[in-house]
Amino acid sequence: MEKHWWQEVVVYQIYPRSFKDSNGDGIGDIGGIIEKLDYLKKLGIGAIWLSPVYASPNDDNGYDISDYEAIMAEFGTMEDMERLITEAKKRSIKIVMDLVVNHTSDEHQWFLEAKKGKENTYRDYYIWADPKADGSAPNELGSTFSGSAWEFDEASGQYYLHLFSKKQPDLNWANEKVRQAVYDMMNFWIEKGIGGFRMDVIDLIGKVPEKMITGNGAKLHDYLQEMNKATFGKHDLLTVGETWGATPEIAKLYSNPKRQELSMVFQFEHVALDEQPQKSKWDLRPLAVAQLKEVFAKWQTELGDEGWNSLFWNNHDLPRIISRWGDEKNYRVKSGKLLAILLHLLKGTPYIYQGEEIGMTNHLVSAIEEVDDIESINMYHERLAQGYKPAEIINAINVKGRDNARTPMQWDDSQHAGFTTGTPWLRVNENYPKINVTQALADKDSLFYTYQKLIQLRKDNPLVVWGDFHLLKTAPEVFAYTRSFKEKTWLVVTNFASEANEFHYDGAIKELILSNGPTPSQLEKVVLMPWDAFVVEVVKS
Ligand code: TEU
Ligand code: CA
């Protein structure tokens, strides 16, 4: 495989609204991000995935865009954005923009025009359909944010499609003019010197609504090849597709370099392991570590040289990983280190979501009034109407809701965690006096320094980027694997449990690389204490 910079870096995701407020209005902004670039440089990351900063009425916090070539006033100006790109570049950090082109806001000029009537030039930029004979929606397609995916437009007597909120009408990718307009906009950003695109729900753009097909439609890959040619193909940019239902076979369609589509996929198979099969993210069940191993091992081995994967536990849509699969109560830092070590020594490009590096946790609510996220709110009302008990729904929101990831970044122990001098747009987690960046930087054993070390190991050792992966047969809750490159083999051993376990390996320790506790002196019989994790170079016997 030809080598690219995006295979060797670690990406840091920023959710601008919650990262750092620079002017006291309670909302994070671009000025705040610039203030913190030195912090990110210290961590060692090579790129920032910036959640949307474009003009937006914020029905879905920026994932509903009303102007792709303007910056949201609350976040700053285009000049601020250009300054961010330049200042990041000075620190060898690239800015990867969120590209949300499955849909726009209903306040986008295109949609305002389209709504004017069937004859409007922009009508076909979106997806319209006549009602059924009884006036009801064209078909049963549902929105990810609950209810029907069709919204009736009184004026024209037709429905328009929205796979997310009704303020997020779906663009009609079958229309060549839409595709060209998107490519022009992408080139506008490429010319500003950005490092790439994270493509929001890109698996949906080939949809065929009349056949009930949403993900992985027949035209999807033609569009991506066309996009590649028309935009980033001439530059070495990081392009990562948010691809919910991808299998390794599908991932190769997106990311096999020979096909000239995207750099990598961002797929969620591991993230669904604590939900009941065939149900939704809200229908909970405990994680089986044995399954987690299986899923990771499958992705590590099956892509081979024909694809590239992202490695992540968290993003702005997911609950905090230490609360979810670590042991927040008894081993917050230690389990956090295990999760970091386990993930960052796999093959693929690792992503860190803001606050993950200091071990931020979920924030629990007791009533729906405390929730901001549209997905959670809509689901609450839908399930209430279906007869679920409020307490049961609130429990699901506390475990899986998106606000968990969106509470403000905890910078220090001053009021509002140093995020703002005003009133934060979303409540700060009350554990901020204990969990914050200042504390983490002052404690040499903090999670921050484990992340920093892992990023450095990736820079210094081609084995971490390129080595072959091999899963070891172990006790169900021991996740252990080797990475081998040329003559070298590293052994990564993690005890993914709050109980002790045993482990053994046929080989000898050559050198200690990293651990989150004591390291064994031999490998014949190792007793692993709760959440122990260590990495050693070994000589196989
Ligand atoms: O997410 C896609 C998506 O399907 C999520 O809504 C997902 O179903 C849910 O959040 C799982 O937790 C992307 C963005 O990441 C998300 O923030 C947006 O709301 C969504 O697209 C619409 O743009
Ligand atoms: Ca602000």
Side-chain angles (χ1 to χ4, degrees):
M1 210 174 194
E2 201 191 322
K3 294 181 182 175
H4 297 278
W5 67 270
W6 41 261
Q7 290 163 310
E8 299 179 346
V9 293
V10 172
V11 181
Y12 187 91
Q13 185 192 352
I14 290 182
Y15 195 68
R17 205 171 189 77
S18 302
F19 191 61
K20 176 74 176 95
D21 174 21
S22 69
N23 64 353
D25 66 354
I27 297 171
D29 47 48
I30 296 174
I33 300 173
I34 296 173
E35 280 176 29
K36 297 299 181 186
L37 285 173
D38 286 332
Y39 166 71
L40 297 176
K41 168 95 185 149
K42 186 180 171 84
L43 181 58
I45 54 114
I48 292 171
W49 154 17
L50 197 59
S51 275
V53 292
Y54 315 91
S56 163
N58 284 308
D59 188 52
D60 186 20
N61 286 348
Y63 285 88
D64 48 321
I65 296 168
S66 52
D67 185 347
Y68 291 101
E69 297 182 10
I71 299 296
M72 193 189 301
E74 291 169 327
F75 289 174
T77 62
M78 189 58 84
E79 271 166 27
D80 293 330
M81 188 60 213
E82 286 163 357
R83 203 154 51 87
L84 172 60
I85 296 169
T86 317
E87 289 299 318
K89 196 168 185 184
K90 284 186 196 160
R91 294 162 178 85
S92 307
I93 296 172
K94 298 184 200 255
I95 302 289
V96 174
M97 299 288 280
D98 215 313
L99 183 78
V100 188
V101 291
N102 173 68
H103 44 268
T104 67
S105 162
D106 66 340
E107 297 180 36
H108 192 287
Q109 204 55 42
W110 299 338
F111 194 71
L112 296 177
E113 286 295 320
K115 263 201 333 191
K116 287 182 179 164
K118 292 182 184 167
E119 306 309 318
N120 190 280
T121 341
Y122 290 90
R123 186 74 174 181
D124 287 343
Y125 270 47
Y126 296 88
I127 300 170
W128 301 88
D130 291 328
K132 283 192 189 147
D134 66 357
S136 62
N139 62 34
E140 301 305 308
L141 275 181
S143 157
T144 305
F145 295 159
S146 303
S148 169
W150 296 100
E151 178 71 8
F152 189 58
D153 170 52
E154 295 277 349
S156 64
Q158 284 193 309
Y159 283 81
Y160 67 85
L161 182 76
H162 61 91
L163 293 178
F164 294 89
S165 102
K166 58 185 169 205
K167 284 184 68 62
Q168 293 168 302
D170 278 58
L171 281 167
N172 177 17
W173 274 74
N175 181 349
E176 203 194 317
K177 286 196 207 141
V178 166
R179 304 202 301 274
Q180 200 49 56
V182 168
Y183 305 155
D184 289 348
M185 174 273 282
M186 291 172 72
N187 286 325
F188 168 90
W189 284 104
I190 292 173
E191 278 159 29
K192 291 203 181 290
I194 62 163
F197 296 102
R198 174 269 180 181
M199 303 187 179
D200 193 64
V201 286
I202 203 68
D203 56 333
L204 299 179
I205 63 173
K207 68 182 75 74
V208 193
E210 61 276 19
K211 293 190 177 148
M212 300 292 288
I213 296 170
T214 54
N216 299 308
K219 284 282 172 62
L220 167 63
H221 295 283
D222 291 348
Y223 296 157
L224 289 175
Q225 287 172 11
E226 181 185 79
M227 176 194 281
N228 179 307
K229 273 203 195 71
T231 64
F232 52 83
K234 301 178 274 299
H235 314 263
D236 190 15
L237 298 190
L238 185 166
T239 51
V240 51
E242 188 197 21
T243 56
W244 274 85
T247 59
E249 281 316 304
I250 292 175
K252 290 180 195 175
L253 298 177
Y254 288 106
S255 64
N256 186 336
K258 290 200 187 103
R259 292 172 50 85
Q260 309 214 331
E261 294 189 18
L262 307 181
S263 317
M264 65 185 95
V265 295
F266 196 95
Q267 56 75 30
F268 295 80
E269 189 170 353
H270 60 297
V271 160
L273 293 175
D274 59 6
E275 71 192 41
Q276 297 169 37
Q278 319 305 330
K279 290 207 172 168
S280 84
K281 71 181 252 185
W282 307 110
D283 300 296
L284 314 171
R285 68 159 180 188
L287 170 74
V289 178
Q291 276 192 334
L292 186 70
K293 292 196 275 189
E294 229 174 82
V295 168
F296 272 124
K298 176 175 85 181
W299 281 91
Q300 288 292 301
T301 48
E302 290 188 14
L303 286 183
D305 280 343
E306 298 166 72
W308 196 257
N309 198 5
S310 305
L311 306 167
F312 66 94
W313 293 123
N314 277 108
N315 72 12
H316 65 295
D317 294 333
L318 303 172
R320 293 283 178 182
I321 195 62
I322 291 177
S323 306
R324 185 181 193 175
W325 291 345
D327 185 339
E328 176 184 337
K329 198 161 158 259
N330 303 307
Y331 298 97
R332 182 182 64 88
V333 172
K334 193 172 185 192
S335 64
K337 288 180 181 175
L338 176 144
L339 290 159
I341 292 169
L342 174 54
L343 192 78
H344 279 246
L345 295 174
L346 293 169
K347 188 171 182 177
T349 299
Y351 288 68
I352 300 172
Y353 178 69
Q354 66 183 44
E356 179 182 337
E357 77 280 15
I358 56 166
M360 280 177 62
T361 59
N362 281 354
H363 183 271
L364 307 187
V365 298
S366 45
I368 194 65
E369 291 70 35
E370 297 166 58
V371 177
D372 171 82
D373 169 35
I374 183 170
E375 182 187 48
S376 298
I377 294 173
N378 290 359
M379 179 281 291
Y380 180 89
H381 294 298
E382 183 174 73
R383 292 209 161 181
L384 210 54
Q386 290 165 356
Y388 286 75
K389 294 194 184 69
E392 193 182 352
I393 315 177
I394 291 291
N395 176 53
I397 292 175
N398 280 334
V399 177
K400 288 290 199 63
R402 305 198 295 182
D403 280 357
N404 283 312
R406 300 177 180 184
T407 60
M409 180 74 179
Q410 294 163 207
W411 293 103
D412 58 38
D413 63 3
S414 68
Q415 203 192 14
H416 307 312
F419 162 69
T420 180
T421 54
T423 306
W425 72 276
L426 185 66
R427 74 216 160 270
V428 174
N429 193 316
E430 50 281 337
N431 62 22
Y432 77 87
K434 198 177 88 190
I435 304 173
N436 62 64
V437 169
T438 306
Q439 183 284 327
L441 293 178
D443 172 5
K444 68 176 185 5
D445 288 328
S446 72
L447 186 53
F448 176 91
Y449 292 112
T450 298
Y451 274 97
Q452 186 190 52
K453 177 86 196 263
L454 286 163
I455 295 172
Q456 194 59 42
L457 285 174
R458 181 168 289 266
K459 289 179 183 166
D460 296 342
N461 299 279
L463 173 147
V464 178
V465 181
W466 305 110
D468 289 332
F469 168 94
H470 180 69
L471 181 72
L472 300 181
K473 282 208 179 72
T474 53
E477 294 188 320
V478 174
F479 193 155
Y481 61 86
T482 56
R483 298 288 307 280
S484 305
F485 185 70
K486 299 187 176 162
E487 301 304 299
K488 256 190 194 176
T489 298
W490 285 14
L491 169 68
V492 179
V493 180
T494 68
N495 182 22
F496 208 119
S498 296
E499 292 80 44
N501 269 300
E502 281 187 13
F503 170 80
H504 97 98
Y505 179 78
D506 295 326
I509 298 175
K510 196 169 163 206
E511 195 195 329
L512 166 67
I513 313 285
L514 177 67
S515 78
N516 69 355
T519 350
S521 52
Q522 44 74 37
L523 296 170
E524 282 93 89
K525 185 178 174 193
V526 184
V527 178
L528 297 167
M529 298 315 284
W531 302 100
D532 268 357
F534 66 87
V535 187
V536 287
E537 187 181 337
V538 290
V539 189
K540 288 187 232 175
S541 49

